[in-house]
Amino acid sequence: MLITDHIVKSYDDELNRLTAMILEMGQLLEAQLEKVLECLTKGDNKIAQEIVDKDIEVDRLENKIDTSAVRLLALRQPVASDLRNVVAALKISAHLERMADYAVNVSKRVIALNQMGPIKYVSSITRLVRLVQEMIRDVLKAYSQLDDKAAHEIWKRDEEVDELYNGFVRELLTYMMEDPRNISPCIHILFIAKNIERMGDHVTNIAEHIHYLVHGTLWSESRK
Amino acid sequence: MLDPKIQVHHLNLFYKAHQVLHNISLDIYRNQVTALIGPSGCGKSSFLRCLNRMNDTIEGVRVEGSILLDGDNIYSKSMDVVQLRARVGMVFQKPNPFPKSIYDNVAYGPRIHGLFQNKSALDGIVEQSLERAGLWKEVKERLHEPGTSLSGGQQQRLCIARAIAVKPEVILMDEPCSALDPIATAKIEELIDELRDRFTIVIVTHHLQQAARVSQYVGFFYAGALVEYGETGDVFTNPRDKKTQGYLTGRM
């Protein structure tokens, strides 16, 4: 992923493997989100349960990344861009793991909602999930290509997520005021939306790590 | 505040027709450790040797530009080179104790510079120097044994004690740990950190992690030029120059 290779080839291999594991974790997360969409629209408990079960694979990958990164730090003592690469991998994997946890939480709420009858108000959430899903895909692409410009652009897209989420919260409030029987399902849906919105925040953090990886300066410094 | 102890301006160094250093300018800060790194033959040791005019002993050497020690040009005609080398001491790659006793090794400098009034004052200087070099406890019972009877790490600390016995202002170290094991190296590194309170230290090292551990400032030399100079933490996390980046990460 960097212009020239190390004199020691196995060092390059280890760094590249770290990047590859992050991308694999990202693909898993994307697949989980695809299933989130499916179980939301279909109200399908089986798919929801699959998401819950699959989460262990994400956790395993995170552990593998942690172990490899710690090993690399101990054995290679990376500096400069290599060091930033390892630090970014550690941080980004933690964000991806957290996002996967949100997907699990959403699935559990879908299962709970299904017991209350057909799920309502799904279309707004679907739009939210699509937005975040694209952000995840693009931020991972920016990571693999060290594309800081793309990372900045993705970071800005979170505003759209926040606006959509806030609008949806207001919408849910009116349903709850209309009929108190709506409160229970609406609370679940509210939390689902909140979880998706939080995923967007994690994407912005990943974008910030890409900036650090590329420039060696903190995002906050560049925005002064 | 950072206060320059040595100011180098547009330094060029030639060995006969061959130019070894090209237009080097930098400030070496008081009570800081400055590490010089770079591949073999990049000029870092030649540069170090300019700082106390050790290069004068080589035939056909020519220096252009200026090096100011507390504002005085060390290459001016009025500069007494013997005095200069007392102010700017040096520790070499291989420990090189004199074939004399431990005591006489340390007392040698103060004797030739006449730095004491009587025997007990000299004893005091020897003890204090060995103490500061972290060697006193290990050798106080055997001060009259030969310096060469010590282990490699102890010999290097003896050479440091010998260097500081003449109360220098600057200590130059040319790969002081390259012949030492990791524990002896750690002791020297700890010592360097302690000595920084009293002295300004410039160290040449091939060991990048050592430069990272001991120094506050680091200069990267390449092909006789100073490519990058800055605060050690900055250079090791975010080098500005591609060549520095390549050298630090092992991509040349």
Side-chain angles (χ1 to χ4, degrees), chain A residues 6-7 80-82 84 215, chain B residues 236-238 245 248-251:
Chain A
H6 279 102
I7 296 164
S81 62
D82 296 332
R84 303 203 300 267
H215 297 289
Chain B
F236 274 84
T237 54
N238 191 19
Q245 162 92 10
L248 291 179
T249 60
R251 295 179 172 93

Side-chain angles (χ1 to χ4, degrees), chain A residues 80, chain B residues 220 222 226-229 235 238-248:
Chain B
F220 171 61
Y222 188 78
L226 178 66
V227 172
E228 185 156 353
Y229 180 60
V235 174
N238 191 19
R240 308 256 163 250
D241 192 278
K242 281 224 157 60
K243 286 199 212 84
T244 318
Q245 162 92 10
Y247 184 69
L248 291 179

Side-chain angles (χ1 to χ4, degrees), chain A residues 167-183:
Chain A
F168 189 48
V169 170
R170 283 194 296 274
E171 192 184 328
L172 287 172
L173 270 175
T174 59
Y175 298 142
M176 288 190 266
M177 284 190 287
E178 246 168 49
D179 185 347
R181 280 172 298 179
N182 282 338
I183 290 177

Side-chain angles (χ1 to χ4, degrees), chain B residues 37-170:
Chain B
I37 58 170
S40 296
C42 68
K44 58 191 188 302
S45 289
S46 294
F47 175 76
L48 190 76
R49 283 156 188 273
C50 287
L51 300 178
N52 67 348
R53 291 183 57 176
M54 288 288 281
N55 287 328
D56 288 13
T57 56
I58 299 166
E59 214 191 290
V61 84
R62 188 159 56 85
V63 173
E64 289 173 4
S66 65
I67 298 179
L68 308 181
L69 176 65
D70 283 334
D72 300 327
N73 190 351
I74 67 168
Y75 281 95
S76 77
K77 286 209 169 67
S78 57
M79 179 61 69
D80 175 349
V81 179
V82 175
Q83 273 308 311
L84 169 69
R85 292 188 191 138
R87 290 172 71 188
V88 183
M90 194 153 188
V91 175
F92 296 87
Q93 184 170 0
K94 257 183 80 182
N96 55 349
F98 300 136
K100 292 169 179 287
S101 71
I102 293 169
Y103 184 96
D104 286 338
N105 260 281
V106 184
Y108 184 85
R111 274 182 182 137
I112 58 168
H113 290 287
L115 295 180
F116 57 95
Q117 303 295 321
N118 52 43
K119 174 79 170 76
S120 75
L122 182 61
D123 288 350
I125 292 173
V126 170
E127 177 174 344
Q128 192 187 43
S129 304
L130 286 166
E131 184 70 54
R132 280 191 190 146
L135 196 59
W136 177 247
K137 280 195 193 114
E138 291 160 60
V139 301
K140 63 179 176 187
E141 306 296 338
R142 47 192 286 209
L143 288 175
H144 297 287
E145 289 175 26
T148 48
S149 68
L150 298 170
S151 74
Q154 287 172 325
Q155 285 187 23
Q156 195 59 303
R157 278 180 283 148
L158 178 63
C159 292
I160 293 173
R162 187 177 64 191
I164 60 186
V166 294
K167 301 197 164 40
E169 297 156 37
V170 181

